[in-house]
């Protein structure tokens, strides 16, 4: 019996009630399954993203699976009674499961008592709340579920806050820079009786209104662009209209942003003394230069850090996709559901090998990408099982074509051969396994997992079969039948024509089953979708930060040029060149950008170096990354300020001096 989610039921039974209908489970048993119920689709925020559930009652995928305590193939969910103390339950569960069940099972399998006791001292079982699994499982490996990473959420939330700060800085800079335009207004209002507190309230209300209007515009843009964003990063984000906190959080955000942006300008503008203002003695041009310069440095520091992050993530992604990983993932087609072929699998493989575009074919569902089979075992060198702890490694069932199909390299010994009956008790191991078992001359040696004693006939070069985030782990390959997936190595100029030919062969063997396939390189790339999405988002955030910073710099430079308009006119009359005026007006701003670079580069290196520590195999952050980020920042700043500088430098000085 199976329970099916609603979207799957609508797909397969669009015009009828699916409950009670029969489906055929696509494995080598071809057993019929009855649909017992339909459930709602899981939300995107859940770690449960399955289309249907199959009952394990009376079902075993291999002999003894449901009886042994030496296998951990499934996630286990418990529904506790109300009021249960979780900490006490964890302790009792650890003692009962390990002492009562697992230890006797290990003893029966011949594990050394010293190893068992050492393991029991550090081992523990604990519960995790089901609502914490999706984003609260960082650092937990092999928990049989897919989940998100809360660190990415915090990282992008921090980036968003920094960009918001850049906008607030623009508001503060421009409000204080253009203080002279409102100085007389402040002076007159104070003369006719306005208190400073009244002026502060006025300026704060103006800031809050700007914040409110900005949030309205931002909300409309966010709502409109959300589908495009979801498509770009392959996610399903939505605005949580039904949540009670949505409106209060917006109101609070409007207030905080308005307060943050408007508080300093309000107190600064309300400070002017009416006597000095009305006499025209207010010298404000350089009064707040230090603050404004510091804020400009902060803006470009954040922008350059984001640029450095974008370049590092891009380089790491290119390294992941194009570095040597120990196997050839290009032009390999993974045909799914081939266990439906049953005893015809060998004939199907032979027919594929007759196609002109097919280079090689392998039958195995143990592949070096996510979503394929895994089987962990503990291994010992022969004669050492009682003496020392074993080496935990994978046991993969492959055929004789597996290594050549995936372009792996044998560094010692030979490949499997169907013509040698003894190869049924043979094993090919990777170099990590050789090192872990301390085998100096591995060919011909025997290793065991407690139930099998296998002689080593070959050593394969290390290849990444999990993720470059982890070190390559020990691996053993044995000759056998594992037929739910067939890998086809192509050598085709026309990929579509080759796939069509393979599809025709499939239809001859399984006319009632859909031809389903993936490309190995695409499945490999999908393992690092989070890195790709991070790179896209960092690119967007970097561009946005640069734009916001340059908008402020453009407006600030325009104001400064306006303030120095007469000075520029006098300098031109006295013989100043356009180049000299350009250097004078851009020099101060470029100095600020250079200071930002000096701050941003070590910070960017530290942040991205911490991020790269998530990968066992990562790039080195080279000097050219900082050179490109710095050159881009300087170039953009130069273009932004230079436009206003050239405009003022080439203007006729008569126009700026005649009003005097």
């Amino acid at each position: 019996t199976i329970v099916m989610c609603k979207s799957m039921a609508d797909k397969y039974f669009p015009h009828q009630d699916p409950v009670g209908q029969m489906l055929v489970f696509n494995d080598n048993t071809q057993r019929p399954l009855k649909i017992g119920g339909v459930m709602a689709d899981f939300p995107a925020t859940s770690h449960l993203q399955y289309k249907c559930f199959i009952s394990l009652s009376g079902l075993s995928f291999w002999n003894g699976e449901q009886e042994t305590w030496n296998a951990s193939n499934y996630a286990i969910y418990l529904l506790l009674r109300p009021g249960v103390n979780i900490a006490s339950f964890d302790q009792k569960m650890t003692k009962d499961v390990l002492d009562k069940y697992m230890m006797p099972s290990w003893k029966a399998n011949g594990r050394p008592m010293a190893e068992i006791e050492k393991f029991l001292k550090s081992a523990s079982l604990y519960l995790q709340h089901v609502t914490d699994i999706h984003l609260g499982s960082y650092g937990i490996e092999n928990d049989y579920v897919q989940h998100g990473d809360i660190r990415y959420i915090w990282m992008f939330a921090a980036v968003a806050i920094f960009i918001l700060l850049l906008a607030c800085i623009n508001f503060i800079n421009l409000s204080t820079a253009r203080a002279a335009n409102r100085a007389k207004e402040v002076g007159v209002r104070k003369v006719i009786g306005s208190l400073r507190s009244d002026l502060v309230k006025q300026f704060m209300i103006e800031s809050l209104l700007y914040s409110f209007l900005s949030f309205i515009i931002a909300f409309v843009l966010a709502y409109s662009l959300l589908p495009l964003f979801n498509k770009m990063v392959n996610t399903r984000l939505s605005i949580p209209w039904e949540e009670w906190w949505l409106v209060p959080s917006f109101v609070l955000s409007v207030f905080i942003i308005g307060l943050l942006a408007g508080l300093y300008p309000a107190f600064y503008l309300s400070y002017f003394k009416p006597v000095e203002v009305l006499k025209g003695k207010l010298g404000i041009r350089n009064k707040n230069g230090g603050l404004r310069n510091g804020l400009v440095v902060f803006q470009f520091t954040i922008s350059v850090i984001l640029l450095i992050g974008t370049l590092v993530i891009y380089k790491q992604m290119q390294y992941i996709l194009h570095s040597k990983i120990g196997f050839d993932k290009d032009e390999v087609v993974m045909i799914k559901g081939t266990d439906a072929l049953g005893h015809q699998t060998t004939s199907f493989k032979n027919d594929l090998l007759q196609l002109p575009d097919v280079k090689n074919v392998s039958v195995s569902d143990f592949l070096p990408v996510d979503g394929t089979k895994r089987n962990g075992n503990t291994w010992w060198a022969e004669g050492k099982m009682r003496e020392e702890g074993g080496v935990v490694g994978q046991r993969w069932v492959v055929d004789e074509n597996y290594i050549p199909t995936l372009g792996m390299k044998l560094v010692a010994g030979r490949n499997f051969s169907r013509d040698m009956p003894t190869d049924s008790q043979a094993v090919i191991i990777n170099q990590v396994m050789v090192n872990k078992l301390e085998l100096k001359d591995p060919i011909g040696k025997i290793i065991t997992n407690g139930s099998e004693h296998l002689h080593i006939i070959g050593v394969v070069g290390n290849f990444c079969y999990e993720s470059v985030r982890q070190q390559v782990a020990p691996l053993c390959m044995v000759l056998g039948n594992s037929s739910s997936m067939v890998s086809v190595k192509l050598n085709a100029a026309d990929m579509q024509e080759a796939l069509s030919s393979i599809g025709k062969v499939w239809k001859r063997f399984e006319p009632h089953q859909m031809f389903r396939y993936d490309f190995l390189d695409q499945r490999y790339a999908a393992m690092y979708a989070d890195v790709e999405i991070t790179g896209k988002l960092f690119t967007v955030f970097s561009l946005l930060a640069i734009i916001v910073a340059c908008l402020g710099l453009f407006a600030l430079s325009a104001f400064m040029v306006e303030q120095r308009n007469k000075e520029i006119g006098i300098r031109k009359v006295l013989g100043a060149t356009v180049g000299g005026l350009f250097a004078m007006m851009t020099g101060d701003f470029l100095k600020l950008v250079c200071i930002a670079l000096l701050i941003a580069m070590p910070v960017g290196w530290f942040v991205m170096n911490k991020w790269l520590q998530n990968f066992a195999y990562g790039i080195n952050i080279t000097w050219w990354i900082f050179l490109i980020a710095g050159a881009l920042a300087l170039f953009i700043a130069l273009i932004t300020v230079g436009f206003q500088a050239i405009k003022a430098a080439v203007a006729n000085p008569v126009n700026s001096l005649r009003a005097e």
Side-chain angles (χ1 to χ4, degrees):
T1 303
I2 67 171
V3 177
M4 184 180 291
C5 73
K6 188 176 184 304
S7 59
M8 188 176 181
D10 292 341
K11 177 181 178 181
Y12 288 100
F13 303 95
H15 305 298
Q16 56 182 313
D17 183 3
V19 177
Q21 300 290 335
M22 303 297 291
L23 289 178
V24 175
F25 189 58
N26 192 18
D27 67 351
N28 53 10
T29 64
Q30 293 288 289
R31 60 184 179 277
L33 297 169
K34 183 178 180 180
I35 301 175
V38 177
M39 61 186 176
D41 290 339
F42 292 105
T45 53
S46 171
H47 71 285
L48 295 167
Q49 295 298 323
Y50 304 107
K51 296 299 183 183
C52 63
F53 287 100
I54 303 174
S55 173
L56 277 176
S57 179
L59 174 64
S60 292
F61 288 96
W62 47 273
N63 290 334
E65 181 193 37
Q66 300 296 338
E67 291 76 33
T68 181
W69 284 90
N70 290 323
S72 53
N73 297 332
Y74 306 100
I76 299 173
Y77 297 86
L78 303 179
L79 179 62
L80 301 181
R81 300 182 189 276
V84 171
N85 184 291
I86 301 298
S88 299
F89 185 87
D90 286 346
Q91 293 178 359
K92 189 174 189 305
M93 177 173 61
T94 298
K95 182 173 178 56
D96 285 357
V97 172
L98 295 181
D99 292 351
K100 282 187 179 181
Y101 302 106
M102 299 193 75
M103 187 168 68
S105 178
W106 289 334
K107 284 182 179 179
N109 283 340
R111 280 204 179 185
M113 194 61 198
E115 180 187 343
I116 295 175
E117 290 176 351
K118 181 180 177 182
F119 176 80
L120 291 178
K121 287 180 181 179
S122 60
S124 64
L125 300 175
Y126 64 94
L127 300 180
Q128 183 181 29
H129 198 283
V130 71
T131 57
D132 294 336
I133 297 174
H134 178 54
L135 291 175
S137 299
Y138 166 64
I140 300 177
E141 298 178 0
N142 302 322
D143 56 357
Y144 306 103
V145 296
Q146 293 184 350
H147 38 71
D149 193 336
I150 190 66
R151 296 174 301 167
Y152 283 107
I153 294 177
W154 288 118
M155 179 173 66
F156 288 122
V159 171
I161 290 171
F162 277 124
I163 292 175
L164 199 56
L165 283 176
L166 300 187
C168 292
I169 287 169
N170 282 348
F171 187 86
I172 294 170
N173 268 342
L174 297 178
S175 296
T176 55
R178 301 188 66 85
N181 296 346
R182 304 199 68 174
K184 289 185 179 179
E185 173 197 344
V186 173
V188 171
R189 289 175 66 88
K190 281 192 172 183
V191 167
I192 62 176
S194 292
L195 299 174
R196 187 182 182 188
S197 59
D198 297 327
L199 294 171
V200 170
K201 289 177 184 177
Q202 175 195 339
F203 294 133
M204 286 303 304
I205 289 172
E206 290 178 5
S207 177
L208 289 170
L209 284 174
Y210 280 126
S211 179
F212 176 74
L213 291 174
S214 300
F215 260 85
I216 295 296
I217 297 170
F219 190 83
V220 172
L221 287 174
Y223 179 78
S224 304
L225 296 176
L226 191 57
L228 179 63
F229 177 84
N230 284 337
K231 184 177 180 180
M232 183 182 78
V233 300
N234 192 28
T235 188
R236 292 182 290 168
L237 293 181
S238 60
I239 298 175
W241 301 104
E242 70 283 357
E243 297 292 345
W244 65 268
W245 48 261
L246 185 65
V247 174
S249 65
F250 281 168
V251 173
L252 184 62
S253 299
V254 168
F255 180 78
I256 292 174
I257 299 301
L259 189 68
L260 181 65
L263 195 60
Y264 178 79
F267 279 94
Y268 174 70
L269 293 173
S270 64
Y271 177 75
F272 296 149
K273 296 178 181 180
V275 175
E276 293 180 355
V277 170
L278 298 177
K279 283 184 178 182
K281 294 182 178 180
L282 185 65
I284 63 168
R285 197 176 86 178
N286 297 317
K287 191 171 184 179
N288 280 278
L291 174 66
R292 282 197 297 272
N293 291 345
L295 294 178
V296 169
V297 169
F298 178 80
Q299 284 185 309
F300 272 88
T301 298
I302 298 301
S303 302
V304 173
I305 290 172
L306 290 175
L307 278 174
I308 292 171
T310 300
L311 293 171
V312 170
I313 293 170
Y314 172 79
K315 190 179 177 186
Q316 176 66 12
M317 191 66 192
Q318 294 304 305
Y319 172 82
I320 290 170
L321 295 179
H322 302 296
S323 63
K324 294 180 180 180
I325 53 176
F327 66 94
D328 184 6
K329 60 185 182 300
D330 298 323
E331 295 187 312
V332 177
V333 178
M334 303 160 54
I335 304 175
K336 298 186 286 187
T338 52
D339 46 4
L341 296 169
H343 64 278
Q344 300 183 92
T345 304
T346 302
S347 299
F348 176 69
K349 173 183 174 180
N350 292 333
D351 282 12
L352 288 178
L353 287 169
Q354 302 304 312
L355 298 176
D357 292 328
V358 173
K359 190 175 179 181
N360 217 323
V361 181
S362 172
V363 180
S364 176
D365 40 22
F366 290 88
L367 291 168
V369 288
D370 279 348
T372 58
K373 277 190 178 179
R374 296 291 181 267
N375 184 14
N377 279 213
T378 302
W379 299 89
W380 293 266
E382 188 183 39
K384 295 186 178 181
M385 189 173 180
R386 297 281 180 182
E387 300 174 10
E388 56 188 44
V391 173
V392 177
Q394 288 287 308
R395 178 189 182 276
W396 288 12
V397 179
V398 303
D399 67 359
E400 70 278 10
N401 296 103
Y402 186 87
I403 290 175
T405 299
L406 296 184
M408 295 172 180
K409 182 181 178 182
L410 281 169
V411 296
R414 62 174 178 85
N415 191 17
F416 292 114
S417 173
R418 293 285 181 183
D419 298 328
M420 300 186 68
T422 55
D423 277 6
S424 61
Q425 295 298 313
V427 64
I428 295 175
I429 62 178
N430 67 355
Q431 290 172 294
V432 177
M433 179 67 86
V434 173
N435 296 334
K436 292 286 186 181
L437 291 176
E438 300 179 352
L439 301 173
K440 293 182 180 180
D441 186 13
I443 305 302
K445 298 288 178 59
I446 295 177
I447 63 173
T448 179
N449 59 2
S451 59
E452 298 174 296
H453 296 270
L454 306 170
H455 65 278
I456 301 171
I457 63 169
V459 177
V460 68
N462 292 331
F463 60 93
C464 296
Y465 61 85
E466 291 296 353
S467 167
V468 295
R469 291 182 174 89
Q470 306 166 18
Q471 295 283 348
V472 175
L475 174 81
C476 300
M477 290 185 279
V478 299
L479 188 63
N481 182 33
S482 183
S483 59
S484 68
M485 200 169 290
V486 170
S487 301
V488 183
K489 177 67 174 180
L490 298 176
N491 186 17
D494 188 344
M495 187 62 67
Q496 290 302 318
E497 180 64 27
L499 290 172
S500 176
S501 299
I502 296 172
K504 290 176 182 177
V505 175
W506 173 264
K507 285 298 180 183
R508 289 207 308 267
F509 285 87
E510 279 294 333
H512 304 297
Q513 293 282 351
M514 183 187 303
F515 174 50
R516 297 180 297 123
Y517 64 90
D518 277 335
F519 288 101
L520 186 65
D521 58 349
Q522 292 179 355
R523 285 284 290 273
Y524 180 80
M527 293 166 60
Y528 306 98
D530 59 332
V531 181
E532 183 182 9
I533 290 170
T534 302
K536 288 180 179 178
L537 291 178
F538 254 84
T539 302
V540 172
F541 282 139
S542 298
L543 291 174
L544 186 58
I546 287 288
I547 290 170
V548 171
C550 288
L551 282 174
L553 195 60
F554 183 83
L556 197 58
S557 62
F559 175 73
M560 291 304 177
V561 168
E562 180 187 337
Q563 291 290 93
R564 304 179 71 175
N565 208 17
K566 290 183 174 61
E567 177 192 344
I568 294 168
I570 293 171
R571 286 179 179 273
K572 288 198 70 174
V573 169
L574 295 176
T577 63
V578 172
L581 292 172
F582 177 83
M584 178 190 73
M585 287 180 284
T586 58
D588 290 339
F589 287 108
L590 292 182
K591 287 177 185 176
L592 298 178
V593 176
C594 288
I595 293 172
L597 291 177
L598 292 175
I599 299 171
M601 287 181 179
V603 174
W605 177 87
F606 176 79
V607 172
M608 296 316 299
N609 193 55
K610 293 288 286 184
W611 180 75
L612 287 171
Q613 289 177 9
N614 294 318
F615 300 88
Y617 305 96
I619 63 168
N620 294 317
I621 304 178
T622 51
W623 61 269
W624 66 261
I625 291 176
F626 302 103
L627 180 64
I628 292 176
L632 278 174
L634 284 170
F635 177 75
I636 293 169
L638 188 63
I639 293 296
T640 304
V641 179
F643 175 80
Q644 295 290 349
I646 292 174
K647 181 181 175 182
V650 300
N652 190 340
V654 175
N655 295 330
S656 59
L657 297 176
R658 80 168 76 188
E660 188 60 48

